[in-house]
Amino acid sequence: MEPIIGDAAAPDMAGETPGDIVKDSSQQSFAQDVIEASMNVPVIVDFWAPWCGPCKQLGPMLESAVKAARGAVRMVKINIDENQQLAGQLRIQSIPTVYAFFQGQPVDGFQGAQPESEVKAFVERLRQAGEAGKGPSPIEQAIEQAQAALEAGDAGAASALFSQVLQHDAENPEALAGLLACYLAAGDLETAQEMFEGLTDELRQHPAFASVAAQLDIQAQAGDAGEIPQLMEKVATDHNDHQARFDLAMALHGSGQQQAAADELLEIMRRDRQWNDDGARKQLLTFFEAWGPTDPLTIENRRRLSSLLFS
């Protein structure tokens, strides 16, 4: 499945690669790997040695918790046998010793083995401190740019940005949903449906997919609705043929006539509010979900729906 081709200038996300989240370091690269890197995100420094039994238990727990933070915290490992001068400068008297740096300064730390719950809590405190002390991450910036490009009608540029994010975070819900929206905007319903069905159940339930899931549902119904001229003729012949009017609404939406589609659903409600177990209202709500809560169409037709329901 090839992505939509497009060129776009994206923020630098080099610091988000998995190899940089957890890395070995030394006295020579300590300033760059820890002090400079901590200007952007908290950096945990694990002082260890191959002969240290507790280190072999603590290290993997730290790595797991740091990787679960998905780039919001980084980890640097220092073998004190190979970096004795650095250990002396930092007054490391026993191992394991763990320091945390943020914005160039030590901010937290502990000595000795810790239970997994304490390790996770330690990393989570750092993640929260980092989020409170910095602006949007490069990935967040890229997603914002991609969404802006998609809203501006440039699906190619948006697709390129979303694809770049996914190279660094393959299960990022916003980027996956954005790429799906790009396929839909380009009219590639088949690829969008295939990609959506390939997602895990957990991902499909993420709020980021609400709009594209609604769009896919609408497109599928539109494909089965029938031809617009024939449906318009049916409705003109019998104004109370609500099924024909409902099918017409779906066909109109499928052809890009969104307001006309909403008009037909509202007309069904005006004539028979309870038709098909309140089917017209439910479908209109699906339209709103597909359009998004801030779309002018959603705002205007939600107002019209409220007026009709409470009149």
Side-chain angles (χ1 to χ4, degrees), residues 23-300:
K23 66 191 299 185
D24 292 302
S25 188
S26 65
Q27 180 164 336
Q28 290 73 28
S29 57
F30 186 85
Q32 178 181 348
D33 292 342
V34 177
I35 304 303
E36 293 180 18
S38 74
M39 301 307 293
N40 296 315
V41 296
V43 178
I44 292 171
V45 185
D46 177 23
F47 294 92
W48 70 286
W51 46 264
C52 170
C55 297
K56 295 177 182 178
Q57 296 179 339
L58 178 64
M61 284 193 294
L62 271 172
E63 288 191 36
S64 177
V66 167
K67 288 176 181 176
R70 303 169 74 92
V73 179
R74 297 183 194 173
M75 177 177 170
V76 167
K77 298 183 287 184
I78 301 289
N79 182 339
I80 65 166
D81 286 353
E82 298 174 353
N83 298 276
Q84 294 181 13
Q85 185 177 352
L86 177 62
Q89 290 173 349
L90 295 174
R91 299 180 181 177
I92 305 301
Q93 297 179 346
S94 65
I95 55 173
T97 290
V98 174
Y99 286 161
F101 289 76
F102 186 44
Q103 297 179 342
Q105 301 293 326
V107 294
D108 204 348
F110 60 84
Q111 287 185 334
Q114 302 287 322
E116 188 174 13
S117 60
E118 290 297 324
V119 170
K120 289 181 177 179
F122 174 71
V123 173
E124 177 60 18
R125 287 198 305 272
L126 292 171
R127 186 194 68 78
Q128 291 179 4
E131 292 297 324
K134 66 182 181 69
S137 70
I139 282 182
E140 290 169 337
Q141 292 177 42
I143 290 173
E144 288 176 6
Q145 290 185 18
Q147 290 171 341
L150 184 58
E151 289 173 7
D154 192 346
S159 175
L161 283 164
F162 285 130
S163 296
Q164 185 178 1
V165 170
L166 292 171
Q167 289 176 8
H168 298 273
D169 184 359
E171 292 191 351
N172 185 287
E174 287 78 14
L176 285 167
L179 190 57
L180 270 165
C182 289
Y183 286 124
L184 287 170
D188 191 351
L189 177 62
E190 182 178 353
T191 300
Q193 187 68 51
E194 177 186 338
M195 182 177 171
F196 185 73
E197 291 174 356
L199 298 173
T200 64
D201 291 341
E202 183 180 2
L203 271 174
R204 281 198 295 266
Q205 296 303 314
H206 193 280
F209 292 95
S211 177
V212 292
Q215 291 180 60
L216 286 168
D217 179 62
I218 292 168
Q219 291 289 351
Q221 292 186 66
D224 298 331
E227 299 296 327
I228 291 175
Q230 287 83 355
L231 291 168
M232 292 183 72
E233 185 176 346
K234 280 187 176 183
V235 171
T237 301
D238 180 0
H239 294 319
N240 289 317
D241 187 342
H242 301 318
Q243 184 61 57
R245 193 181 293 277
F246 183 91
D247 292 342
L248 175 60
M250 301 312 301
L252 287 168
H253 198 288
S255 69
Q257 301 179 64
Q258 296 169 322
Q259 183 56 65
D263 290 342
E264 297 298 342
L265 292 179
L266 288 166
E267 180 62 18
I268 292 174
M269 293 187 63
R270 190 184 69 80
R271 290 175 175 272
D272 184 353
R273 195 170 299 178
Q274 300 305 317
W275 174 79
N276 196 24
D277 192 24
D278 205 17
R281 185 187 64 85
K282 292 176 181 176
Q283 187 59 62
L284 191 57
L285 295 179
T286 302
F287 283 1
F288 295 163
E289 199 162 34
W291 300 340
T294 61
D295 190 289
L297 279 171
T298 299
I299 295 170
E300 170 60 19

